[in-house]
Amino acid sequence: MNESNSAVMSVTAACYDVFIDIDNSIYCSMYNQSQVMMKTLGSSSNMWIVAAGTGCVGSGSNQLNGSRGIHVDQDLNLYVADCGNNRVQKFLTLQIDAITIAGSSAPGTISLNCPSDVVLDGDGYLFIVDRNNHRIVGSSSNGYQCIIGCSGSGSTISQLSFPQSMAFDSYGNLYVTDSSNDRIQKFAIEKNDSGKRF
């Protein structure tokens, strides 16, 4: 096997999370800068653009406070786990102002405490690592609810302790990095008779 390594994006701070969208653009979530940067991978230029955040910590619709996990959907909308503001922000394609879709500032959703990752499943449902609440939250046609770690922090098979990130496999199983328990947990999120996860 031949190895071929190259730097594809140089930014001004460490990336907390990375995501590649369907248009082959790479996104870097910079926690300490409270911004998300992006760059087209096929470009020979080292120029990147700001995809979200102003670089100044804040809670405005165009600001972030400790951006962590990111996800870009098929329509190129950007979802950001905005840890310091206890919310998940959705930046519509090419928009600088976001919509709060989960967290205490979004009426009718769920309270979050430092969300650290966000993922959309194949059906378009949103899953959130609610880090400091030691749980995974999921959306459905019935709104947001806790689906994993709902009994609080711990080390039993059904509990989490400061989870960080998550990913789905091709079968719909959810894998969660359970950082304080030094393990990766696998959860089978089953669908009900109507084809919905819960």
Side-chain angles (χ1 to χ4, degrees):
M1 179 167 102
N2 293 332
E3 286 190 28
S4 176
N5 301 326
S6 63
V8 296
M9 186 178 187
S10 296
V11 290
T12 58
C15 285
Y16 184 93
D17 195 15
V18 65
F19 193 92
I20 299 172
D21 70 20
I22 60 169
D23 281 352
N24 213 29
S25 292
I26 188 167
Y27 296 73
C28 161
S29 176
M30 299 191 311
Y31 177 82
N32 291 330
Q33 301 284 355
S34 295
Q35 282 187 306
V36 178
M37 303 298 183
M38 70 170 287
K39 177 186 181 291
T40 302
L41 280 173
S43 170
S44 59
S45 169
N46 197 31
M47 294 293 294
W48 42 262
I49 64 168
V50 176
T54 62
C56 295
V57 171
S59 60
S61 62
N62 66 339
Q63 294 177 305
L64 299 167
N65 182 2
S67 52
R68 290 197 177 201
I70 52 178
H71 187 93
V72 182
D73 67 18
Q74 300 291 318
D75 297 319
L76 303 180
N77 300 311
L78 170 65
Y79 299 78
V80 181
D82 189 11
C83 171
N85 286 319
N86 301 316
R87 65 187 183 181
V88 173
Q89 296 290 86
K90 179 180 181 179
F91 291 85
L92 299 175
T93 307
L94 302 176
Q95 298 296 310
I96 61 169
D97 290 314
I99 304 161
T100 303
I101 58 172
S104 56
S105 60
T109 64
I110 194 166
S111 179
L112 301 172
N113 189 351
C114 187
S116 60
D117 202 7
V118 60
V119 173
L120 282 175
D121 72 0
D123 297 321
Y125 290 112
L126 188 70
F127 291 79
I128 304 163
V129 175
D130 192 10
R131 184 181 185 277
N132 291 354
N133 282 327
H134 315 285
R135 65 184 182 173
I136 306 298
V137 169
S139 71
S140 72
S141 57
N142 298 320
Y144 289 90
Q145 59 186 316
C146 178
I147 59 167
I148 298 168
C150 305
S151 62
S153 176
S155 59
T156 69
I157 199 73
S158 63
Q159 291 179 307
L160 301 168
S161 183
F162 295 105
Q164 290 282 20
S165 60
M166 64 184 161
F168 282 101
D169 66 15
S170 58
Y171 300 102
N173 297 307
L174 183 63
Y175 296 79
V176 180
T177 57
D178 188 11
S179 64
S180 289
N181 285 322
D182 300 321
R183 64 188 180 186
I184 297 173
Q185 291 269 72
K186 175 184 174 184
F187 298 94
I189 311 292
E190 298 185 19
K191 295 183 179 181
N192 61 24
D193 293 338
S194 63
K196 296 177 181 173
R197 289 199 184 274
F198 49 89

